[in-house]
C-alpha cells in the first residue's frame, strides 16, 4: 500500500476524505514541530542527515534513503495493511470481528493505553536531546537521529488514533503529549524509565537495547488488540522498532569489543586509564537499564492486565501462535512473589499474571543479546561474563519494590545493600567518568571515538567513512 506524500501530512489512511480530522491534525502539526525544535535534538535543525523514510508499509517500503533536514522529515500516519477478515483472537470476544471503531465501554481503557504508549515516544526524544553533541562518530550520530525521528513518528501514530477515535478527549490528550516533559518535576512523563536521564552514549545504547525492547513487547501485545486501527498502527511501528534495538545491541557490542581490544593490546584490566570503559562499569549500566526497564511491565499480578485481556484490548506476545484456549479462565501461572521479606514462588490465575508472562518473554529476549556480547568477550580470551541481574534487583514497581535484592537474587538488609550498591549500580563517579570520555562530537567521516569500535558495516551499504551527517 503506497503512502500519499502529496499531502501536508503523509498518510495511508485516506486522510483527505475526512476534512475535520485532517484539519484537526494539521492544527496539531505546527505544535509538534515547535516541540521538536524546542525539545528535540539540540541545535540540529540545519543538518542534512542520511535518513531512511517509509514510502510504503510493506516489507520493501523501507529502502528509501536520502539526506533530510530533520524538521522537514515527513512524519506521517502509516498503518499496516488491513485484514478485512481479522478476528479477535482471545478473551470474551474471541472469534468476533475486530472492531473498526472504539466500543463505548472500552473507551477510557483504550484511551489510557494509547496515551501511555504515546507518552513514551516524545519522552525518549527529550531524554536524548543533547547526545548529538558528544557523538562518537557520524555513523552513530545518524543512527541517533534516525531513532529520534522514528520516535517522533510513533507519537504521530498514537496522536492519529486519539484524534480519529476519541473526539475532544483525544484532542486534549494529544495536546498534553507535548506538555508533559521527561524529568519535569511538575509535569513528568507517565512511566518511570522515561523520566531518567540519558546523559551519555553508554546509557543511550543500553536504553535502546533494554527500554526500546520493552517497546517491542508492549507494541506486540497491543498489535493483538481487538481495536483494529491500534493493532495496525502497532504492527507498522514494530518494523521501525527493530532498528532501534539493533542500534542498542551493536552499540554496546562495539564498546565491549573496543574494551577487549584495549585490554589485550595493553595487557591490563585498567582500561579507564587508556580511555576505554571497563567491563565492570558496562555491567553496572546494564544492571541499571535492565531493572528500570523491567518496571515498565507493571505489577506481577495485575487485574488491569486480566481485564485488558478478557475484554480483547491487549493480548499476549504472538498470541495467535500460542497453543491454548486463548481464554485462560482455568489456567494458572507461576510468578515470583514476596512473603515475609522472602522471594517465593506463587501460583496465580494466568489471567492476572499476563504482565509477568510478557516480562518473562522479554527477559528471554534480553538474554540472547547478552549471550552474543559474552561470546565476543570469550573470543577475546578475557575471563568476564556479562549477566542479567535477578528480576527482583533494584525494582520500584511491583512485588519487589522496596525490597533490597542483590544481582544474584539474595534478599539483603538495608545495611548490606548500602555497603554494596556502588558495586552494582553506576555511582556518580562512574557516570562522571563515562561522561568525561565523551568530549566533543567526532565529526570527521570514518573516525571513531577511542572507547568504541567501528561498526561491522555501514548504513544501506555505504562505507563506514560515508558522510552520514552534513553540518552546513
Ligand atoms: N511507572 O496493574 P498494573 C516504548 C501503574 S516502551 C509508573 O501493573 P498495568 C518506547 C499503572 O499505570 C512501551 N506507573 O498496571 C521505548 C497502574 O496505575 P493505576 C510503552 C506504573 O496497567 C523506548 C498501577 O501502577 N508502552 O514504546 O497492568 C523509546 C497498577 O499497575 C508503572 C506501554 O507501556 C510504571 N513503570 O500495567 C520509546 C503500553 N507500571 O491504575 C518508546 C501501554 C505500572 O493504579 N501501557 N504503573 O492508576 C500498558 O500496557 C500498561 O499501562 C503498563 C502497566 C504495562 C505500563
Amino acid at each position: 500500500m503506497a503512502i500519499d506524500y502529496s499531502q501536508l501530512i503523509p498518510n495511508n489512511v485516506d486522510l483527505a476524505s475526512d476534512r475535520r480530522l485532517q484539519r484537526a491534525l494539521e492544527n496539531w502539526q505546527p505544535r509538534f514541530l515547535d516541540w521538536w525544535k524546542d525539545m528535540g535534538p539540540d541545535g540540529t535543525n540545519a543538518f542534512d542527515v542520511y535518513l531512511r523514510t517509509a514510502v510504503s508499509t510493506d516489507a520493501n517500503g523501507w529502502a528509501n534513503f536520502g539526506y533530510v533536514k530533520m524538521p522537514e522529515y515527513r512524519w506521517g500516519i502509516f498503518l499496516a495493511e488491513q485484514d478485512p477478515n481479522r478476528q479477535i483472537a482471545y478473551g470474551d470476544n474471541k472469534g468476533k470481528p475486530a472492531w473498526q471503531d472504539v466500543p463505548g465501554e472500552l473507551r477510557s481503557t483504550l484511551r489510557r493505553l494509547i496515551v501511555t504508549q504515546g507518552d513514551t515516544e516524545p519522552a525518549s526524544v527529550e531524554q536524548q536531546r543533547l547526545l548529538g553533541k558528544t557523538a562518537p562518530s557520524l555513523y552513530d550520530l545518524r543512527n541517533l537521529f534516525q531513532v529520534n525521528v522514528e520516535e517522533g513518528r510513533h507519537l504521530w501514530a498514537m496522536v492519529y488514533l486519539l484524534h480519529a477515535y476519541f473526539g475532544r478527549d483525544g484532542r486534549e490528550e494529544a495536546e498534553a503529549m507535548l506538555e508533559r516533559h521527561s524529568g519535569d518535576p511538575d509535569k513528568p512523563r507517565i512511566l518511570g524509565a522515561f523520566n531518567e536521564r540519558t546523559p551519555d552514549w553508554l546509557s543511550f545504547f543500553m536504553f535502546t537495547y533494554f527500554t526500546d525492547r520493552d517497546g517491542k513487547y508492549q507494541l506486540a501485545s497491543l498489535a493483538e488488540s481487538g481495536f483494529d486501527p491500534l493493532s495496525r498502527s502497532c504492527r507498522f511501528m514494530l518494523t521501525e522498532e527493530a532498528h532501534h534495538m539493533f542500534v542498542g545491541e551493536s552499540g554496546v557490542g562495539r564498546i565491549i569489543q573496543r574494551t577487549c581490544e584495549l585490554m589485550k593490546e595493553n595487557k591490563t584490566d585498567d582500561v579507564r586509564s587508556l580511555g576505554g570503559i571497563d567491563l565492570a562499569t558496562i555491567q553496572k549500566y546494564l544492571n541499571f537499564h535492565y531493572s528500570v526497564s523491567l518496571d515498565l511491565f507493571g505489577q506481577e499480578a495485575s487485574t488491569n492486565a486480566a481485564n485488558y485481556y478478557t475484554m480483547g484490548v491487549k493480548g499476549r506476545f504472538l498470541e495467535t501462535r500460542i497453543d491454548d484456549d486463548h481464554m485462560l479462565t482455568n489456567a494458572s501461572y507461576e510468578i515470583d512473589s514476596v512473603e515475609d521479606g522472602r522471594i517465593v514462588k506463587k501460583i496465580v490465575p494466568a489471567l492476572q499474571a499476563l504482565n509477568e508472562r510478557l516480562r518473562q518473554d522479554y527477559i528471554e529476549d534480553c538474554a540472547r543479546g547478552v549471550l552474543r556480547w559474552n561470546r565476543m568477550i570469550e573470543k577475546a580470551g578475557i575471563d568476564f561474563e556479562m549477566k542479567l541481574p535477578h528480576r527482583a534487583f533494584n525494582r520500584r514497581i511491583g512485588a519487589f519494590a522496596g525490597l533490597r535484592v542483590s544481582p544474584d537474587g539474595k534478599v539483603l538488609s538495608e545495611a548490606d545493600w548500602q555497603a554494596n550498591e556502588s558495586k552494582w549500580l553506576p555511582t556518580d563517579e562512574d557516570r562522571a567518568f563515562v561522561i568525561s570520555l565523551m568530549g566533543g562530537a567526532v565529526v570527521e567521516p570514518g573516525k571513531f571515538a577511542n572507547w568504541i569500535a567501528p561498526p561491522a558495516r555501514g548504513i544501506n551499504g555505504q562505507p563506514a567513512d560515508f558522510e552520514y551527517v552534513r553540518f552546513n
Side-chain angles (χ1 to χ4, degrees):
M1 191 194 302
I3 292 171
D4 182 356
Y5 269 98
S6 67
Q7 304 284 318
L8 203 53
I9 301 170
N11 70 89
N12 67 353
V13 293
D14 195 15
L15 194 55
S17 69
D18 186 340
R19 301 298 298 213
R20 261 186 74 183
L21 176 60
Q22 188 179 30
R23 265 203 307 277
L25 284 164
E26 285 178 4
N27 247 320
W28 187 80
Q29 190 177 37
R31 286 203 268 283
F32 168 80
L33 284 172
D34 286 346
W35 166 82
W36 179 270
K37 287 176 190 158
D38 289 347
M39 303 300 290
D42 193 36
T44 62
N45 289 335
F47 296 1
D48 286 310
V49 188
Y50 187 68
L51 291 178
R52 176 182 74 161
T53 314
V55 286
S56 77
T57 55
D58 57 32
N60 300 323
W62 270 120
N64 193 46
F65 285 82
Y67 284 101
V68 181
K69 290 192 180 25
M70 281 189 284
E72 291 164 18
Y73 183 79
R74 302 302 312 275
W75 284 287
I77 299 157
F78 315 136
L79 273 60
E81 192 121 14
Q82 184 172 2
D83 169 3
N85 300 318
R86 180 166 176 257
Q87 295 179 346
I88 301 169
Y90 54 93
D92 288 350
N93 292 307
K94 185 178 145 192
K96 297 203 181 130
W99 311 304
Q100 297 309 320
D101 214 332
V102 178
E105 69 280 14
L106 299 182
R107 202 178 156 80
S108 65
T109 305
L110 272 165
R111 191 184 67 210
R112 195 183 135 134
L113 284 174
I114 292 168
V115 166
T116 307
Q117 177 63 49
D119 188 71
T120 62
E121 316 290 359
S124 68
V125 176
E126 292 170 354
Q127 288 171 297
Q128 295 160 16
R129 168 174 168 67
L130 298 175
L131 285 175
K133 306 208 179 290
T134 55
S137 71
L138 285 187
Y139 166 90
D140 290 290
L141 187 61
R142 177 262 167 218
N143 281 350
L144 166 72
F145 292 156
Q146 181 76 50
V147 169
N148 290 160
V149 292
E150 287 174 0
E151 300 300 10
R153 208 210 63 75
H154 288 185
L155 170 61
W156 269 96
M158 294 299 115
V159 162
Y160 163 71
L161 295 175
L162 289 169
H163 271 254
Y165 296 97
F166 294 88
R168 177 204 280 257
D169 295 355
R171 290 194 292 279
E172 285 173 6
E173 293 285 11
E175 294 298 317
M177 294 283 191
L178 303 176
E179 287 161 7
R180 287 184 294 270
H181 297 307
S182 178
D184 185 328
D186 300 321
K187 287 189 172 180
R189 292 296 177 183
I190 297 170
L191 298 173
F194 295 89
N195 289 304
E196 301 286 349
R197 293 175 60 234
T198 312
D200 60 75
W201 281 76
L202 180 57
S203 299
F204 171 64
F205 292 134
M206 290 291 179
F207 182 95
T208 41
Y209 186 76
F210 288 111
T211 308
D212 276 272
R213 193 171 308 274
D214 168 53
K216 167 182 165 184
Y217 282 84
Q218 297 297 342
L219 289 173
S221 305
L222 294 174
E224 302 291 344
S225 183
F227 178 42
D228 205 38
L230 174 60
S231 164
R232 292 169 57 208
S233 294
C234 291
R235 269 184 274 150
F236 185 67
M237 288 160 79
L238 279 165
T239 59
E240 293 164 315
E241 205 67 47
H243 172 69
H244 305 184
M245 288 178 293
F246 159 79
V247 169
E249 181 170 343
S250 59
V252 174
R254 287 162 52 215
I255 296 178
I256 292 176
Q257 185 189 333
R258 181 64 185 140
T259 299
C260 292
E261 282 166 11
L262 287 169
M263 288 171 80
K264 272 175 60 181
E265 281 163 19
N266 298 280
K267 299 194 175 40
T268 177
D269 289 347
D270 182 16
V271 181
R272 284 194 180 198
S273 66
L274 300 165
I277 308 177
D278 51 295
L279 295 174
T281 300
I282 299 174
Q283 174 71 60
K284 289 192 209 179
Y285 275 67
L286 181 159
N287 290 348
F288 174 76
H289 286 273
Y290 175 65
S291 55
V292 165
S293 301
L294 285 183
D295 275 342
L296 292 171
F297 290 82
Q299 305 278 342
E300 285 72 13
S302 164
T303 43
N304 281 354
N307 291 336
Y308 298 152
Y309 188 83
T310 306
M311 294 184 295
V313 164
K314 185 179 174 190
R316 289 173 291 177
F317 183 63
L318 302 179
E319 178 71 44
T320 50
R321 295 198 205 161
I322 300 173
D323 183 18
D324 62 17
D325 69 356
H326 303 276
M327 302 293 287
L328 303 182
T329 26
N330 299 315
S332 52
Y333 190 85
E334 190 180 73
I335 62 171
D336 279 344
S337 173
V338 177
E339 255 175 43
D340 301 329
R342 286 178 310 123
I343 300 173
V344 293
K345 302 275 178 214
K346 190 170 147 190
I347 306 280
V348 296
L351 276 174
Q352 278 183 28
L354 289 169
N355 284 347
E356 187 57 15
R357 180 178 175 137
L358 192 63
R359 183 164 19 232
Q360 181 59 32
D361 291 333
Y362 167 84
I363 289 173
E364 286 164 20
D365 198 11
C366 286
R368 286 190 273 273
V370 176
L371 208 66
R372 286 190 284 271
W373 294 333
N374 280 331
R375 265 195 226 118
M376 295 168 64
I377 301 174
E378 200 187 324
K379 221 166 130 197
I382 290 166
D383 183 21
F384 189 99
E385 195 185 335
M386 294 284 165
K387 287 197 179 99
L388 292 177
H390 191 275
R391 70 177 73 215
F393 171 78
N394 192 39
R395 294 287 302 281
R396 303 232 165 91
I397 299 278
F400 310 115
L403 202 65
R404 298 305 199 179
V405 180
S406 66
D408 57 3
K410 281 197 203 72
V411 179
L412 304 174
S413 67
E414 182 63 28
D416 280 347
W417 169 266
Q418 294 288 346
N420 288 288
E421 185 183 358
S422 64
K423 282 194 245 156
W424 298 328
L425 288 170
T427 60
D428 289 348
E429 191 248 317
D430 293 326
R431 291 192 184 278
F433 169 72
V434 170
I435 288 173
S436 78
L437 290 183
M438 300 176 194
V442 177
V443 294
E444 200 180 317
K447 286 266 180 311
F448 289 82
N450 180 55
W451 48 267
I452 189 165
R457 59 192 70 83
I459 299 292
N460 191 32
Q462 301 288 2
D465 62 358
F466 184 71
E467 198 179 7
Y468 289 105
V469 181
R470 294 183 183 144
F471 296 98
N472 300 314

